[in-house]
Amino acid sequence: MRQHPTRDPFVPVVRCAADLLAVVPHTLGYWPADSLVLFAAGGGTAGACVRVDLPADPDDERFTEAFVAQLAELVGHDALSDRVFAIVYTSGGTPDRTSPGGPGAVPAVLGLVDEAARRADRAVAARWVVAGEHWWPVEDPEDVRDVARILDSAVNAALVAAGSSYATAPRQAMDHEYGALPAGARREVAEQAARWARAGRDGWHRLDRLARILTVWEDVLTGVRDAGGDWLTAVLGHDDDLLGFLAAGLSDPVLADLLLAACATDDSAGVLAAAAMWAELCDGEPGTADPADEPTGPTRAPAPPGVADVPRRPGAGGPGASPGAVRLPASDAGELIRLSRVLSGEWEETPAWPRLDALYRVLQALAWLLDPGGTPTEQAAEQAAEQAAGAAAGPDAAAARAVLAGVLVELAQLNRFRARGSHTAHFVRRATALVPCHPAALRVLRLADARPVPLWARDRATAWHS
């Protein structure tokens, strides 16, 4: 018989609809807009919280089957839940509003929810509509209440008192999840990153350099992890040259994948053994790759002449210690299989979340430094920074866009690991706005489509917790 622990009396308890609706924005990190949210529950605890965009035409038969199948799959991943709560968020209005996508479309959307829940063998416990400043239960549309009741609920007060918060706009929540640069911060990371993108050229995925680059990353991430709440100071304590180097390397998809896997497994040696096996397979293929193409994998070939050396390691031997020659492990087919499973979301073990969280914070800081115009107070247009970057011309501007896009794609990958689809799509959109048809960004979408929820995210014991 499964044992349930004694409830902590200081953990807020959902006792009414307003309490449950208050939990949603704290879980997502922002107040949803034009969204369908499914909140799973079971065994006396809250489960997965799934958000999707409201369909433009919920009566389109070609669309509805795929939409229902996707909802059923997402809800079914939470093995402990036995019911779901459905909330439709619209841009405003009252129960009699009938504009497309508004409350008038709610019955059709909820009909899709009912079918998805049936396929996932879940009951629909309750349904609400949140429209502008009002909300009401679907079963009683005359019972219109003010959103203020959600904001004033006991659960919202308890969550805020515990330090939880959420943004009023999705982009602010996603781009500044862990804060922002200090006011007046002026750094030259973007310039150094563009320089490293040129100096590194085709050298990022060379096997001997990969080992030294991962060593530098390990030192940086360890410092950020150990800094706790003072993580941003730890990041900004590194010079612009090193930060630019870290950012520029992420424009190479092979290095970006290996860094992600090294953090997830907390096993750089195993990942390098996988990379060695991968390099043997790539080097054994006949033909010569086009230098303009995306690299298909690492290589044992030496770096081209003129490629800049890997910078000195931070925090060791004074101002920095040279990574030096790193002994490469023997190639290992088993490690390559593990690497493939990690990157595809089919790994059955627990990711090293503290190290992945440190990587997330470094990536967010790099994105802020590369795109200083995207501060939380500037919410004019979602792609203002991308448009400004696109207006510039010349090789430096192209290199800067590629570097920022690489950082954003790595953030998308991390959010895929966290099973946050909206965040994943957001960072992919930003990357492809900078570099249209960005190959690595499109690959993230294919991976997310093939496995929307990684295996580890299906178990609350191994999934990421904010």
Side-chain angles (χ1 to χ4, degrees), residues 209-376:
R209 289 173 60 84
L210 281 170
R212 286 178 283 157
I213 293 170
L214 289 181
T215 299
V216 174
W217 266 105
E218 282 184 8
D219 288 351
V220 172
L221 294 176
T222 298
V224 170
R225 182 197 62 196
D226 294 346
D230 204 26
W231 68 270
L232 184 55
T233 300
V235 174
L236 297 179
H238 297 296
D239 61 47
D240 293 345
D241 179 70
L242 179 64
L243 295 176
F245 168 81
L246 298 178
L250 296 174
S251 60
D252 184 290
V254 175
L255 171 56
D257 278 354
L258 294 175
L259 172 62
L260 190 67
C263 291
T265 60
D266 201 12
D267 181 10
S268 293
V271 168
L272 287 171
M277 185 75 244
W278 190 2
E280 288 185 13
L281 297 175
C282 291
D283 291 344
E285 291 184 357
T288 303
D290 184 346
D293 289 342
E294 290 279 321
T296 58
T299 177
R300 290 182 177 272
V307 172
D309 290 336
V310 175
R312 298 171 67 84
R313 290 171 54 190
S322 172
V326 178
R327 183 172 179 175
L328 296 175
S331 59
D332 190 318
E335 291 291 352
L336 182 58
I337 292 172
R338 180 177 70 159
L339 172 67
S340 174
R341 288 175 175 168
V342 170
L343 295 175
S344 65
E346 297 177 354
W347 193 40
E348 295 182 349
E349 298 185 34
T350 306
W353 291 121
R355 187 157 289 271
L356 287 170
D357 288 346
L359 175 61
Y360 201 107
R361 285 164 170 78
V362 173
L363 294 174
Q364 281 229 313
L366 291 176
W368 302 337
L369 292 164
L370 295 169
D371 179 17
T375 61

Side-chain angles (χ1 to χ4, degrees), residues 397-438:
R401 291 195 297 273
V403 168
L404 178 54
V407 171
L408 296 173
V409 169
E410 193 81 338
L411 281 166
Q413 286 277 50
L414 275 168
N415 279 294
R416 184 173 64 86
F417 275 29
R418 291 179 170 187
R420 300 199 299 183
S422 297
H423 286 67
T424 301
H426 167 74
F427 287 110
V428 167
R429 282 195 298 267
R430 286 197 61 196
T432 53
L434 288 163
V435 180
C437 299
H438 192 289

Side-chain angles (χ1 to χ4, degrees), residues 10-13 26 153-164:
F10 295 100
V11 174
V13 178
H26 287 278
S153 72
V155 165
N156 187 60
L159 290 171
V160 171
S164 179

Side-chain angles (χ1 to χ4, degrees), residues 177-200:
E177 184 169 359
Y178 297 110
L181 289 177
R186 294 291 182 268
R187 302 290 291 263
E188 295 184 356
V189 174
E191 292 81 359
Q192 294 300 325
R195 181 183 67 81
W196 273 110
R198 297 192 307 273

Side-chain angles (χ1 to χ4, degrees), residues 63-73 111-113 115-117 119:
F63 167 82
T64 55
E65 175 56 33
F67 186 77
V68 168
Q70 182 183 41
L71 283 183
E73 180 183 7
L112 303 181
V113 171
E115 174 60 18
R119 293 187 189 183

